[in-house]
Amino acid sequence: MPKTPRSPPNSVATVPRVIDVLAFPSVQLLDVSGPLQVFATVNEIMQRKGQPAPYRLRVIARGGHSVTASAGLGLAVSDLPRQAEPIDTLLIAGGPGVHAAASDPAMVAWVRKRAAKARRTASVCTGAFLLASTGLLDGRRAATHWSWCSELAQRFPDVHVESDPIFVRDGAFWTSAGVTAGIDLALALVEEDLGRSVALMVARHLVVFLKRPGGQSQFSAALSLQTADDKFGALHDWIGKHLADDISLPMLAEQAGMSERSFSRHYADATGITPARAVEQLRVEAARRLLSETKLPVKRISQRCGFGSEETMRRSFLRLLSATPQDYRARFSS
């Protein structure tokens, strides 16, 4: 059976692209509804313009009828389509029930065959476990929710798991981080199909960012430094506003209202790292944002973020990201 004809990018297909969102019992609700709403909004926008809907959407699950999401909400679904039915995109949701699905040989075989039929295949969050079970991610880069990266890498050593990105594309396979990252992934798929202007209209309609770069961290440095009582939250806010300054240990201790020795000890106990390393992480995060979102010269960015020189920033990037600022910009700039 021939594959579904591939519509050229940045054009509205005369025949709607079929997008199958695969669900299962205890699926993560937002893994299904987030991407689905992105594509549905595209259809609404295009139809208001008097153009045909670019997508035909189906939520599918074995047996049809309905499945209950992990949040307790029932979802109406269609049965798994026959392999001969046309498809453009297979999108596999995640959730607590994905591990049972990934342990089901029949389900794994169905996904493998369906992915071979599709123009592209994507997973959201822990949906990567089901996709990886097919062997289709072997030798490829992949992402999942940060808290599951170690287990994904351990269970599937041939998959190159990346713990930081919001989403990853490797050929015809797309994988995303957790939950709301599925919306970022879907917007990227829309941008590939219909262009940036359409994706921007959808993002504005949904009141979300158009495009967090695929390489953007799943959570901010400030968030990763938070503790249960957020003892140093005000300090981190202050650092963020003074990155270009010469931030010394005495200055940080003064802001925290402690002696230098007491501050160093309490900060390391609370965050697990030294104050100097925390400042470096916050500076690298700010530099990453400027590299991906602006055209500012690297030298200017290094000064604005407090590194003092390009070489100092380069060393920090290599230590924390295993990439130079130039490499990061080339890969992730929008």
Side-chain angles (χ1 to χ4, degrees):
M1 180 67 67
K3 289 193 177 219
T4 304
R6 299 189 179 187
S7 302
N10 303 331
S11 67
V12 178
T14 55
V15 177
R17 298 175 170 91
V18 176
I19 297 183
D20 283 341
V21 180
L22 179 62
F24 39 79
S26 292
V27 71
Q28 166 67 249
L29 180 61
L30 198 54
D31 287 4
V32 175
S33 61
L36 194 67
Q37 187 59 60
V38 169
F39 297 119
T41 301
V42 175
N43 286 346
E44 294 168 9
I45 289 173
M46 288 302 180
Q47 288 174 322
R48 285 202 300 267
K49 291 175 172 287
Q51 299 181 30
Y55 300 113
R56 183 158 68 91
L57 307 171
R58 299 186 298 195
V59 180
I60 59 174
R62 177 183 290 170
H65 305 301
S66 69
V67 296
T68 302
S70 58
L73 184 67
L75 301 175
V77 299
S78 300
D79 200 358
L80 299 181
R82 295 169 299 162
Q83 296 294 352
E85 291 188 38
I87 182 175
D88 178 87
T89 302
L90 174 63
L91 194 150
I92 303 166
V98 75
H99 303 292
S103 299
D104 183 340
M107 176 60 77
V108 172
W110 184 90
V111 171
R112 186 185 299 113
K113 292 178 181 177
R114 195 64 174 157
K117 175 80 173 176
R119 175 170 67 96
R120 62 190 175 195
T121 300
S123 65
V124 179
C125 195
T126 54
F129 281 84
L130 177 51
L131 184 54
S133 295
T134 67
L136 294 172
L137 292 181
D138 288 355
R140 297 184 182 276
R141 299 165 52 236
T144 188
H145 190 285
W146 61 269
S147 66
W148 287 96
C149 286
S150 294
E151 183 167 341
L152 183 66
Q154 183 177 10
R155 288 180 55 182
F156 303 100
D158 292 330
V159 179
H160 305 308
V161 180
E162 299 188 7
S163 60
D164 207 34
I166 292 292
F167 62 84
V168 167
R169 179 186 184 178
D170 193 326
F173 295 90
W174 302 62
T175 53
S176 84
V179 199
T180 59
I183 296 174
D184 297 278
L185 172 65
L187 285 168
L189 297 177
V190 169
E191 183 174 357
E192 181 192 45
D193 292 343
L194 304 171
R196 186 176 179 85
S197 62
V198 174
L200 178 58
M201 284 189 285
V202 175
R204 285 173 173 166
H205 185 83
L206 297 178
V207 198
V208 297
F209 292 109
L210 165 61
K211 181 185 177 185
R212 287 189 290 178
Q216 183 171 318
S217 180
Q218 292 190 34
F219 47 86
S220 69
L223 180 60
S224 68
L225 293 172
Q226 273 188 7
T227 56
D229 58 5
D230 202 16
K231 184 176 183 180
F232 296 104
L235 177 64
H236 294 145
D237 289 341
W238 181 87
I239 294 172
K241 296 174 182 177
H242 295 82
L243 290 176
D245 298 342
D246 182 14
I247 303 175
S248 64
L249 179 61
M251 188 179 298
L252 292 173
E254 181 181 352
Q255 287 295 320
M258 301 179 183
S259 68
E260 291 180 34
R261 178 176 295 180
S262 179
F263 168 68
S264 295
R265 183 179 70 254
H266 285 292
Y267 190 88
D269 288 344
T271 65
I273 61 174
T274 65
R277 187 66 74 202
V279 171
E280 181 184 38
Q281 288 184 8
L282 291 166
R283 282 176 166 156
V284 167
E285 179 177 87
R288 290 170 70 171
R289 187 163 54 250
L290 290 173
L291 286 166
S292 64
E293 297 177 2
T294 76
K295 302 298 182 183
L296 287 173
V298 173
K299 182 177 181 179
R300 179 79 177 276
I301 292 174
S302 69
Q303 295 169 345
R304 181 176 291 191
C305 295
F307 290 102
S309 70
E310 291 182 61
E311 177 58 25
T312 301
M313 186 167 83
R314 189 185 72 87
R315 289 198 299 267
S316 290
F317 265 63
L318 287 172
R319 179 164 47 250
L320 297 180
L321 305 177
S322 299
T324 66
Q326 290 83 355
D327 290 340
Y328 185 88
R329 167 169 274 173
R331 185 173 180 185
F332 298 123
S333 62
S334 54

